[in-house]
Amino acid sequence: MSFMATVSLLEAALDRQLQRDAGMPHAYYQILAMLSEAPERTLRMSDLAAITQSSQSRLSHAVSRLERNGWVRRRPCPDDRRSTLAELTEAGFAALAAAAPGHVRSVRENLFDQLDPEQVGQLRDICQAALCRLAAAPEAVVMPGARVTNPDTEGTVG
């Protein structure tokens, strides 16, 4: 219960900070961040939905809002007519870059400043162990830039 309460309250704090300082919800920041880490700053909408744990319709609504801001553009996938690509624009990258320092500061203030260096290492190890297990599932889509290593073998999983 402590874990669920912590994640819930941290998400709410990050959302409030981003709304106040950058005029975007945390969900939009996450979409922009995932696109910024992807090759050519582009992902299939279906992959982006899986990475952000969003339904297709919820992601489509969010991307529509991001398109109106000029931060994302949609285009047909050249090798699969059924798929649509979401691409981060230069304006979207600039909005993400402007929002990032405040977001990072909020993560530090709300999470890492409460921990000593040993606890930070423990948290990293705990998250890495859980991520390794979760990423091994056949249906798992791991966010771009995530380093998934197996602590038992020190090898990269994904």
Side-chain angles (χ1 to χ4, degrees), residues 140-158:
V141 179
V142 179
M143 59 181 56
R147 187 165 163 78
V148 183
T149 57
N150 184 334
D152 297 329
T153 64
E154 291 302 316
T156 299
V157 174

Side-chain angles (χ1 to χ4, degrees), residues 32-43 88 96 143-146:
L32 298 177
M34 294 307 97
L35 289 172
S36 78
E37 294 289 327
E40 300 180 32
R41 297 181 182 163
T42 302
L43 287 168
L88 183 65
L96 177 65
M143 59 181 56

Side-chain angles (χ1 to χ4, degrees), residues 74-144:
R74 279 187 261 207
R75 59 185 168 89
C77 181
D79 58 343
D80 182 359
R81 300 175 111 202
R82 296 169 295 158
S83 294
T84 300
L85 300 175
E87 178 183 4
L88 183 65
T89 65
E90 287 301 319
F93 188 77
L96 177 65
H103 177 68
V104 170
R105 189 171 38 260
S106 185
V107 171
R108 283 189 181 135
E109 290 171 358
N110 288 292
L111 181 61
F112 291 105
D113 287 354
Q114 318 320 308
L115 307 175
D116 63 39
E118 182 180 354
Q119 290 173 315
V120 171
Q122 291 169 341
L123 180 60
R124 181 193 60 244
D125 292 346
I126 291 165
C127 289
Q128 194 55 236
L131 180 58
C132 186
R133 167 70 167 85
L134 293 165
E139 67 277 4
V141 179
V142 179
M143 59 181 56

